mmCIF file of all heavy atoms in Angstrom:
data_model
loop_
_atom_site.group_PDB
_atom_site.id
_atom_site.type_symbol
_atom_site.label_atom_id
_atom_site.label_comp_id
_atom_site.label_asym_id
_atom_site.label_seq_id
_atom_site.Cartn_x
_atom_site.Cartn_y
_atom_site.Cartn_z
ATOM 1 N N SER A 1 -22.617 -16.798 -5.659
ATOM 2 C CA SER A 1 -22.311 -17.347 -6.979
ATOM 3 C C SER A 1 -23.002 -18.672 -7.267
ATOM 4 O O SER A 1 -23.178 -19.029 -8.442
ATOM 5 C CB SER A 1 -20.794 -17.534 -7.123
ATOM 6 O OG SER A 1 -20.312 -18.450 -6.150
ATOM 7 N N ILE A 2 -23.383 -19.404 -6.220
ATOM 8 C CA ILE A 2 -23.915 -20.755 -6.439
ATOM 9 C C ILE A 2 -25.265 -20.967 -5.761
ATOM 10 O O ILE A 2 -26.273 -21.229 -6.417
ATOM 11 C CB ILE A 2 -22.912 -21.819 -5.930
ATOM 12 C CG1 ILE A 2 -21.593 -21.703 -6.696
ATOM 13 C CG2 ILE A 2 -23.490 -23.218 -6.096
ATOM 14 C CD1 ILE A 2 -20.498 -22.554 -6.120
ATOM 15 N N LEU A 3 -25.288 -20.827 -4.430
ATOM 16 C CA LEU A 3 -26.451 -21.292 -3.677
ATOM 17 C C LEU A 3 -27.685 -20.433 -3.877
ATOM 18 O O LEU A 3 -28.804 -20.905 -3.681
ATOM 19 C CB LEU A 3 -26.106 -21.356 -2.183
ATOM 20 C CG LEU A 3 -25.028 -22.365 -1.807
ATOM 21 C CD1 LEU A 3 -24.867 -22.423 -0.301
ATOM 22 C CD2 LEU A 3 -25.369 -23.744 -2.343
ATOM 23 N N ARG A 4 -27.539 -19.189 -4.267
ATOM 24 C CA ARG A 4 -28.729 -18.370 -4.478
ATOM 25 C C ARG A 4 -29.538 -18.865 -5.664
ATOM 26 O O ARG A 4 -30.738 -18.565 -5.776
ATOM 27 C CB ARG A 4 -28.353 -16.908 -4.676
ATOM 28 C CG ARG A 4 -27.620 -16.581 -5.971
ATOM 29 C CD ARG A 4 -27.186 -15.133 -5.973
ATOM 30 N NE ARG A 4 -26.459 -14.779 -7.185
ATOM 31 C CZ ARG A 4 -27.040 -14.283 -8.270
ATOM 32 N NH1 ARG A 4 -28.355 -14.103 -8.280
ATOM 33 N NH2 ARG A 4 -26.328 -13.973 -9.330
ATOM 34 N N HIS A 5 -28.905 -19.630 -6.548
ATOM 35 C CA HIS A 5 -29.620 -20.199 -7.686
ATOM 36 C C HIS A 5 -30.304 -21.511 -7.339
ATOM 37 O O HIS A 5 -31.265 -21.900 -8.012
ATOM 38 C CB HIS A 5 -28.651 -20.445 -8.852
ATOM 39 C CG HIS A 5 -27.954 -19.213 -9.330
ATOM 40 N ND1 HIS A 5 -28.628 -18.126 -9.838
ATOM 41 C CD2 HIS A 5 -26.637 -18.887 -9.364
ATOM 42 C CE1 HIS A 5 -27.772 -17.181 -10.188
ATOM 43 N NE2 HIS A 5 -26.544 -17.628 -9.904
ATOM 44 N N VAL A 6 -29.813 -22.202 -6.324
ATOM 45 C CA VAL A 6 -30.349 -23.537 -6.026
ATOM 46 C C VAL A 6 -30.965 -23.614 -4.640
ATOM 47 O O VAL A 6 -31.377 -24.675 -4.208
ATOM 48 C CB VAL A 6 -29.238 -24.612 -6.129
ATOM 49 C CG1 VAL A 6 -28.662 -24.643 -7.520
ATOM 50 C CG2 VAL A 6 -28.152 -24.370 -5.099
ATOM 51 N N SER A 7 -31.034 -22.488 -3.918
ATOM 52 C CA SER A 7 -31.583 -22.530 -2.558
ATOM 53 C C SER A 7 -33.065 -22.869 -2.569
ATOM 54 O O SER A 7 -33.568 -23.538 -1.682
ATOM 55 C CB SER A 7 -31.368 -21.187 -1.857
ATOM 56 O OG SER A 7 -31.999 -20.147 -2.580
ATOM 57 N N LYS A 8 -33.789 -22.404 -3.599
ATOM 58 C CA LYS A 8 -35.208 -22.756 -3.703
ATOM 59 C C LYS A 8 -35.653 -22.736 -5.165
ATOM 60 O O LYS A 8 -36.512 -21.952 -5.551
ATOM 61 C CB LYS A 8 -36.058 -21.799 -2.869
ATOM 62 C CG LYS A 8 -37.480 -22.300 -2.644
ATOM 63 C CD LYS A 8 -38.243 -21.360 -1.729
ATOM 64 C CE LYS A 8 -39.655 -21.876 -1.502
ATOM 65 N NZ LYS A 8 -40.441 -20.983 -0.627
ATOM 66 N N PRO A 9 -35.071 -23.582 -5.982
ATOM 67 C CA PRO A 9 -35.488 -23.619 -7.384
ATOM 68 C C PRO A 9 -36.769 -24.419 -7.555
ATOM 69 O O PRO A 9 -36.858 -25.573 -7.143
ATOM 70 C CB PRO A 9 -34.313 -24.329 -8.078
ATOM 71 C CG PRO A 9 -33.738 -25.195 -7.004
ATOM 72 C CD PRO A 9 -33.993 -24.501 -5.692
ATOM 73 N N ASN A 10 -37.773 -23.784 -8.172
ATOM 74 C CA ASN A 10 -39.051 -24.469 -8.412
ATOM 75 C C ASN A 10 -39.631 -25.080 -7.142
ATOM 76 O O ASN A 10 -40.120 -26.208 -7.127
ATOM 77 C CB ASN A 10 -38.878 -25.561 -9.482
ATOM 78 C CG ASN A 10 -38.389 -24.984 -10.799
ATOM 79 O OD1 ASN A 10 -38.730 -23.855 -11.156
ATOM 80 N ND2 ASN A 10 -37.575 -25.747 -11.512
ATOM 81 N N ASP A 11 -39.514 -24.324 -6.038
ATOM 82 C CA ASP A 11 -40.037 -24.767 -4.728
ATOM 83 C C ASP A 11 -39.353 -26.017 -4.210
ATOM 84 O O ASP A 11 -39.893 -26.743 -3.380
ATOM 85 C CB ASP A 11 -41.549 -25.010 -4.796
ATOM 86 C CG ASP A 11 -42.305 -23.719 -5.082
ATOM 87 O OD1 ASP A 11 -41.834 -22.656 -4.617
ATOM 88 O OD2 ASP A 11 -43.336 -23.783 -5.770
ATOM 89 N N GLN A 12 -38.159 -26.338 -4.705
ATOM 90 C CA GLN A 12 -37.368 -27.444 -4.179
ATOM 91 C C GLN A 12 -36.219 -26.862 -3.357
ATOM 92 O O GLN A 12 -35.433 -26.073 -3.864
ATOM 93 C CB GLN A 12 -36.806 -28.309 -5.300
ATOM 94 C CG GLN A 12 -37.876 -28.908 -6.213
ATOM 95 C CD GLN A 12 -37.243 -29.749 -7.292
ATOM 96 O OE1 GLN A 12 -36.367 -30.565 -7.046
ATOM 97 N NE2 GLN A 12 -37.687 -29.555 -8.528
ATOM 98 N N ILE A 13 -36.133 -27.237 -2.110
ATOM 99 C CA ILE A 13 -35.127 -26.674 -1.223
ATOM 100 C C ILE A 13 -33.974 -27.658 -1.047
ATOM 101 O O ILE A 13 -34.162 -28.798 -0.639
ATOM 102 C CB ILE A 13 -35.734 -26.342 0.155
ATOM 103 C CG1 ILE A 13 -36.872 -25.335 0.004
ATOM 104 C CG2 ILE A 13 -34.676 -25.778 1.092
ATOM 105 C CD1 ILE A 13 -37.573 -25.023 1.310
ATOM 106 N N THR A 14 -32.787 -27.232 -1.384
ATOM 107 C CA THR A 14 -31.602 -28.067 -1.187
ATOM 108 C C THR A 14 -31.083 -27.825 0.228
ATOM 109 O O THR A 14 -30.215 -26.985 0.453
ATOM 110 C CB THR A 14 -30.530 -27.702 -2.222
ATOM 111 O OG1 THR A 14 -30.302 -26.287 -2.173
ATOM 112 C CG2 THR A 14 -30.968 -28.084 -3.614
ATOM 113 N N THR A 15 -31.626 -28.568 1.161
ATOM 114 C CA THR A 15 -31.373 -28.310 2.575
ATOM 115 C C THR A 15 -29.905 -28.459 2.934
ATOM 116 O O THR A 15 -29.348 -27.649 3.680
ATOM 117 C CB THR A 15 -32.205 -29.273 3.440
ATOM 118 O OG1 THR A 15 -33.566 -29.204 3.026
ATOM 119 C CG2 THR A 15 -32.085 -28.909 4.914
ATOM 120 N N GLU A 16 -29.257 -29.488 2.402
ATOM 121 C CA GLU A 16 -27.888 -29.749 2.811
ATOM 122 C C GLU A 16 -26.944 -28.619 2.413
ATOM 123 O O GLU A 16 -26.020 -28.272 3.160
ATOM 124 C CB GLU A 16 -27.383 -31.074 2.225
ATOM 125 C CG GLU A 16 -27.257 -31.128 0.711
ATOM 126 C CD GLU A 16 -28.566 -31.465 0.021
ATOM 127 O OE1 GLU A 16 -29.591 -31.529 0.720
ATOM 128 O OE2 GLU A 16 -28.553 -31.662 -1.202
ATOM 129 N N PHE A 17 -27.179 -28.004 1.244
ATOM 130 C CA PHE A 17 -26.322 -26.906 0.804
ATOM 131 C C PHE A 17 -26.584 -25.636 1.615
ATOM 132 O O PHE A 17 -25.664 -24.982 2.095
ATOM 133 C CB PHE A 17 -26.538 -26.618 -0.686
ATOM 134 C CG PHE A 17 -26.200 -27.776 -1.578
ATOM 135 C CD1 PHE A 17 -26.912 -28.014 -2.735
ATOM 136 C CD2 PHE A 17 -25.164 -28.642 -1.253
ATOM 137 C CE1 PHE A 17 -26.601 -29.084 -3.563
ATOM 138 C CE2 PHE A 17 -24.841 -29.714 -2.076
ATOM 139 C CZ PHE A 17 -25.567 -29.928 -3.233
ATOM 140 N N THR A 18 -27.852 -25.291 1.739
ATOM 141 C CA THR A 18 -28.222 -24.049 2.424
ATOM 142 C C THR A 18 -27.826 -24.088 3.889
ATOM 143 O O THR A 18 -27.253 -23.127 4.423
ATOM 144 C CB THR A 18 -29.733 -23.803 2.293
ATOM 145 O OG1 THR A 18 -30.095 -23.804 0.905
ATOM 146 C CG2 THR A 18 -30.106 -22.464 2.901
ATOM 147 N N ALA A 19 -28.123 -25.196 4.572
ATOM 148 C CA ALA A 19 -27.809 -25.301 6.002
ATOM 149 C C ALA A 19 -26.309 -25.235 6.240
ATOM 150 O O ALA A 19 -25.838 -24.540 7.153
ATOM 151 C CB ALA A 19 -28.381 -26.603 6.575
ATOM 152 N N ALA A 20 -25.539 -25.944 5.416
ATOM 153 C CA ALA A 20 -24.090 -25.931 5.585
ATOM 154 C C ALA A 20 -23.520 -24.539 5.386
ATOM 155 O O ALA A 20 -22.625 -24.097 6.113
ATOM 156 C CB ALA A 20 -23.441 -26.913 4.603
ATOM 157 N N ASN A 21 -24.058 -23.803 4.411
ATOM 158 C CA ASN A 21 -23.545 -22.462 4.146
ATOM 159 C C ASN A 21 -23.919 -21.489 5.263
ATOM 160 O O ASN A 21 -23.110 -20.649 5.670
ATOM 161 C CB ASN A 21 -24.075 -21.955 2.813
ATOM 162 C CG ASN A 21 -23.355 -20.723 2.336
ATOM 163 O OD1 ASN A 21 -22.171 -20.765 2.062
ATOM 164 N ND2 ASN A 21 -24.059 -19.611 2.254
ATOM 165 N N ILE A 22 -25.136 -21.600 5.782
ATOM 166 C CA ILE A 22 -25.560 -20.720 6.879
ATOM 167 C C ILE A 22 -24.706 -20.970 8.119
ATOM 168 O O ILE A 22 -24.252 -20.026 8.788
ATOM 169 C CB ILE A 22 -27.050 -20.943 7.189
ATOM 170 C CG1 ILE A 22 -27.917 -20.429 6.031
ATOM 171 C CG2 ILE A 22 -27.444 -20.247 8.491
ATOM 172 C CD1 ILE A 22 -29.393 -20.706 6.207
ATOM 173 N N ILE A 23 -24.451 -22.240 8.429
ATOM 174 C CA ILE A 23 -23.616 -22.570 9.580
ATOM 175 C C ILE A 23 -22.198 -22.051 9.369
ATOM 176 O O ILE A 23 -21.556 -21.548 10.299
ATOM 177 C CB ILE A 23 -23.614 -24.089 9.829
ATOM 178 C CG1 ILE A 23 -25.006 -24.562 10.227
ATOM 179 C CG2 ILE A 23 -22.620 -24.453 10.923
ATOM 180 C CD1 ILE A 23 -25.115 -26.068 10.375
ATOM 181 N N SER A 24 -21.702 -22.144 8.138
ATOM 182 C CA SER A 24 -20.352 -21.684 7.843
ATOM 183 C C SER A 24 -20.222 -20.178 8.064
ATOM 184 O O SER A 24 -19.262 -19.706 8.681
ATOM 185 C CB SER A 24 -19.985 -22.047 6.398
ATOM 186 O OG SER A 24 -18.704 -21.550 6.070
ATOM 187 N N VAL A 25 -21.190 -19.417 7.572
ATOM 188 C CA VAL A 25 -21.161 -17.959 7.742
ATOM 189 C C VAL A 25 -21.289 -17.589 9.215
ATOM 190 O O VAL A 25 -20.564 -16.716 9.722
ATOM 191 C CB VAL A 25 -22.282 -17.309 6.910
ATOM 192 C CG1 VAL A 25 -22.393 -15.821 7.234
ATOM 193 C CG2 VAL A 25 -22.020 -17.499 5.415
ATOM 194 N N THR A 26 -22.212 -18.264 9.928
ATOM 195 C CA THR A 26 -22.396 -17.979 11.353
ATOM 196 C C THR A 26 -21.148 -18.330 12.155
ATOM 197 O O THR A 26 -20.759 -17.611 13.081
ATOM 198 C CB THR A 26 -23.600 -18.764 11.898
ATOM 199 O OG1 THR A 26 -24.746 -18.506 11.084
ATOM 200 C CG2 THR A 26 -23.906 -18.360 13.333
ATOM 201 N N SER A 27 -20.509 -19.433 11.795
ATOM 202 C CA SER A 27 -19.273 -19.830 12.461
ATOM 203 C C SER A 27 -18.191 -18.781 12.261
ATOM 204 O O SER A 27 -17.412 -18.483 13.184
ATOM 205 C CB SER A 27 -18.804 -21.188 11.930
ATOM 206 O OG SER A 27 -17.542 -21.531 12.454
ATOM 207 N N GLY A 28 -18.119 -18.212 11.057
ATOM 208 C CA GLY A 28 -17.146 -17.157 10.812
ATOM 209 C C GLY A 28 -17.375 -15.939 11.693
ATOM 210 O O GLY A 28 -16.433 -15.374 12.264
ATOM 211 N N LEU A 29 -18.641 -15.533 11.835
ATOM 212 C CA LEU A 29 -18.962 -14.381 12.686
ATOM 213 C C LEU A 29 -18.644 -14.660 14.152
ATOM 214 O O LEU A 29 -18.085 -13.800 14.863
ATOM 215 C CB LEU A 29 -20.446 -14.021 12.532
ATOM 216 C CG LEU A 29 -20.869 -13.471 11.163
ATOM 217 C CD1 LEU A 29 -22.380 -13.294 11.109
ATOM 218 C CD2 LEU A 29 -20.161 -12.155 10.880
ATOM 219 N N LEU A 30 -18.984 -15.877 14.625
ATOM 220 C CA LEU A 30 -18.704 -16.221 16.019
ATOM 221 C C LEU A 30 -17.207 -16.336 16.268
ATOM 222 O O LEU A 30 -16.725 -15.998 17.362
ATOM 223 C CB LEU A 30 -19.409 -17.522 16.388
ATOM 224 C CG LEU A 30 -19.354 -17.942 17.869
ATOM 225 C CD1 LEU A 30 -19.897 -16.833 18.764
ATOM 226 C CD2 LEU A 30 -20.131 -19.229 18.088
ATOM 227 N N SER A 31 -16.454 -16.781 15.278
ATOM 228 C CA SER A 31 -14.996 -16.849 15.420
ATOM 229 C C SER A 31 -14.410 -15.445 15.578
ATOM 230 O O SER A 31 -13.476 -15.234 16.370
ATOM 231 C CB SER A 31 -14.371 -17.540 14.204
ATOM 232 O OG SER A 31 -14.751 -18.898 14.142
ATOM 233 N N ILE A 32 -14.943 -14.499 14.838
ATOM 234 C CA ILE A 32 -14.491 -13.114 14.975
ATOM 235 C C ILE A 32 -14.766 -12.599 16.382
ATOM 236 O O ILE A 32 -13.904 -11.974 17.017
ATOM 237 C CB ILE A 32 -15.174 -12.221 13.922
ATOM 238 C CG1 ILE A 32 -14.742 -12.639 12.511
ATOM 239 C CG2 ILE A 32 -14.847 -10.748 14.155
ATOM 240 C CD1 ILE A 32 -15.507 -11.934 11.396
ATOM 241 N N ALA A 33 -15.979 -12.868 16.889
ATOM 242 C CA ALA A 33 -16.333 -12.430 18.243
ATOM 243 C C ALA A 33 -15.439 -13.094 19.286
ATOM 244 O O ALA A 33 -14.976 -12.438 20.241
ATOM 245 C CB ALA A 33 -17.802 -12.743 18.516
ATOM 246 N N THR A 34 -15.185 -14.397 19.118
ATOM 247 C CA THR A 34 -14.320 -15.111 20.064
ATOM 248 C C THR A 34 -12.904 -14.560 20.032
ATOM 249 O O THR A 34 -12.251 -14.419 21.072
ATOM 250 C CB THR A 34 -14.301 -16.612 19.731
ATOM 251 O OG1 THR A 34 -15.635 -17.130 19.741
ATOM 252 C CG2 THR A 34 -13.467 -17.384 20.748
ATOM 253 N N GLY A 35 -12.409 -14.239 18.847
ATOM 254 C CA GLY A 35 -11.073 -13.656 18.734
ATOM 255 C C GLY A 35 -10.972 -12.314 19.429
ATOM 256 O O GLY A 35 -9.971 -12.015 20.101
ATOM 257 N N ILE A 36 -12.008 -11.488 19.298
ATOM 258 C CA ILE A 36 -12.005 -10.183 19.975
ATOM 259 C C ILE A 36 -11.990 -10.354 21.487
ATOM 260 O O ILE A 36 -11.248 -9.669 22.205
ATOM 261 C CB ILE A 36 -13.232 -9.366 19.527
ATOM 262 C CG1 ILE A 36 -13.105 -8.998 18.040
ATOM 263 C CG2 ILE A 36 -13.377 -8.100 20.373
ATOM 264 C CD1 ILE A 36 -14.331 -8.312 17.478
ATOM 265 N N ILE A 37 -12.815 -11.290 21.992
ATOM 266 C CA ILE A 37 -12.844 -11.540 23.430
ATOM 267 C C ILE A 37 -11.501 -12.062 23.921
ATOM 268 O O ILE A 37 -11.014 -11.680 24.995
ATOM 269 C CB ILE A 37 -13.982 -12.528 23.781
ATOM 270 C CG1 ILE A 37 -15.337 -11.910 23.459
ATOM 271 C CG2 ILE A 37 -13.919 -12.925 25.257
ATOM 272 C CD1 ILE A 37 -16.499 -12.851 23.667
ATOM 273 N N ALA A 38 -10.868 -12.938 23.126
ATOM 274 C CA ALA A 38 -9.555 -13.470 23.507
ATOM 275 C C ALA A 38 -8.525 -12.346 23.624
ATOM 276 O O ALA A 38 -7.697 -12.339 24.546
ATOM 277 C CB ALA A 38 -9.100 -14.512 22.483
ATOM 278 N N ILE A 39 -8.562 -11.391 22.701
ATOM 279 C CA ILE A 39 -7.632 -10.256 22.770
ATOM 280 C C ILE A 39 -7.898 -9.413 24.014
ATOM 281 O O ILE A 39 -6.958 -8.985 24.702
ATOM 282 C CB ILE A 39 -7.751 -9.407 21.492
ATOM 283 C CG1 ILE A 39 -7.267 -10.209 20.281
ATOM 284 C CG2 ILE A 39 -6.936 -8.120 21.623
ATOM 285 C CD1 ILE A 39 -7.483 -9.498 18.955
ATOM 286 N N LEU A 40 -9.173 -9.189 24.323
ATOM 287 C CA LEU A 40 -9.519 -8.418 25.520
ATOM 288 C C LEU A 40 -9.047 -9.126 26.782
ATOM 289 O O LEU A 40 -8.540 -8.485 27.717
ATOM 290 C CB LEU A 40 -11.032 -8.185 25.573
ATOM 291 C CG LEU A 40 -11.615 -7.261 24.495
ATOM 292 C CD1 LEU A 40 -13.132 -7.213 24.612
ATOM 293 C CD2 LEU A 40 -11.027 -5.857 24.624
ATOM 294 N N VAL A 41 -9.204 -10.454 26.816
ATOM 295 C CA VAL A 41 -8.761 -11.213 27.988
ATOM 296 C C VAL A 41 -7.243 -11.133 28.133
ATOM 297 O O VAL A 41 -6.721 -11.010 29.254
ATOM 298 C CB VAL A 41 -9.215 -12.685 27.878
ATOM 299 C CG1 VAL A 41 -8.576 -13.533 28.974
ATOM 300 C CG2 VAL A 41 -10.731 -12.783 27.967
ATOM 301 N N SER A 42 -6.528 -11.186 27.016
ATOM 302 C CA SER A 42 -5.059 -11.130 27.084
ATOM 303 C C SER A 42 -4.559 -9.814 27.654
ATOM 304 O O SER A 42 -3.460 -9.748 28.221
ATOM 305 C CB SER A 42 -4.466 -11.351 25.692
ATOM 306 O OG SER A 42 -4.742 -10.248 24.829
ATOM 307 N N ARG A 43 -5.360 -8.765 27.530
ATOM 308 C CA ARG A 43 -4.968 -7.458 28.058
ATOM 309 C C ARG A 43 -5.554 -7.193 29.431
ATOM 310 O O ARG A 43 -5.164 -6.217 30.095
ATOM 311 C CB ARG A 43 -5.432 -6.348 27.103
ATOM 312 C CG ARG A 43 -4.939 -6.495 25.686
ATOM 313 C CD ARG A 43 -3.449 -6.341 25.593
ATOM 314 N NE ARG A 43 -3.015 -4.998 25.964
ATOM 315 C CZ ARG A 43 -1.769 -4.603 26.049
ATOM 316 N NH1 ARG A 43 -0.786 -5.472 25.805
ATOM 317 N NH2 ARG A 43 -1.468 -3.362 26.375
ATOM 318 N N ASN A 44 -6.488 -8.040 29.866
ATOM 319 C CA ASN A 44 -7.151 -7.839 31.163
ATOM 320 C C ASN A 44 -7.356 -9.197 31.834
ATOM 321 O O ASN A 44 -8.488 -9.688 31.941
ATOM 322 C CB ASN A 44 -8.505 -7.135 30.990
ATOM 323 C CG ASN A 44 -8.385 -5.809 30.265
ATOM 324 O OD1 ASN A 44 -8.120 -4.770 30.850
ATOM 325 N ND2 ASN A 44 -8.592 -5.842 28.950
ATOM 326 N N LEU A 45 -6.272 -9.808 32.275
ATOM 327 C CA LEU A 45 -6.349 -11.161 32.834
ATOM 328 C C LEU A 45 -7.129 -11.227 34.138
ATOM 329 O O LEU A 45 -7.619 -12.292 34.511
ATOM 330 C CB LEU A 45 -4.937 -11.708 33.055
ATOM 331 C CG LEU A 45 -4.129 -12.083 31.816
ATOM 332 C CD1 LEU A 45 -2.760 -12.583 32.219
ATOM 333 C CD2 LEU A 45 -4.857 -13.131 30.979
ATOM 334 N N SER A 46 -7.244 -10.141 34.856
ATOM 335 C CA SER A 46 -7.869 -10.181 36.183
ATOM 336 C C SER A 46 -9.371 -9.949 36.155
ATOM 337 O O SER A 46 -10.019 -10.018 37.197
ATOM 338 C CB SER A 46 -7.215 -9.132 37.095
ATOM 339 O OG SER A 46 -7.358 -7.832 36.543
#
């Protein structure tokens, strides 16, 4: 809704917006993976 319009307007890159959003999305994916591993560990402590 927002960053696709300002990620590279007229060859100007808004680094702070794009980088923060990429890190946010990646953090969400890694949190999902960590949660899955935590569930597996809870069922297989040994």
Side-chain angles (χ1 to χ4, degrees):
S1 61
I2 299 171
L3 296 185
R4 69 186 179 92
H5 301 299
V6 300
S7 59
K8 195 176 180 181
N10 301 327
D11 295 327
Q12 302 180 46
I13 300 177
T14 53
T15 308
E16 65 276 7
F17 299 146
T18 305
N21 193 64
I22 291 176
I23 295 175
S24 177
V25 172
T26 307
S27 174
L29 293 174
L30 187 56
S31 294
I32 295 172
T34 303
I36 293 174
I37 296 175
I39 294 174
L40 292 176
V41 171
S42 69
R43 304 294 296 176
N44 304 274
L45 288 179
S46 59

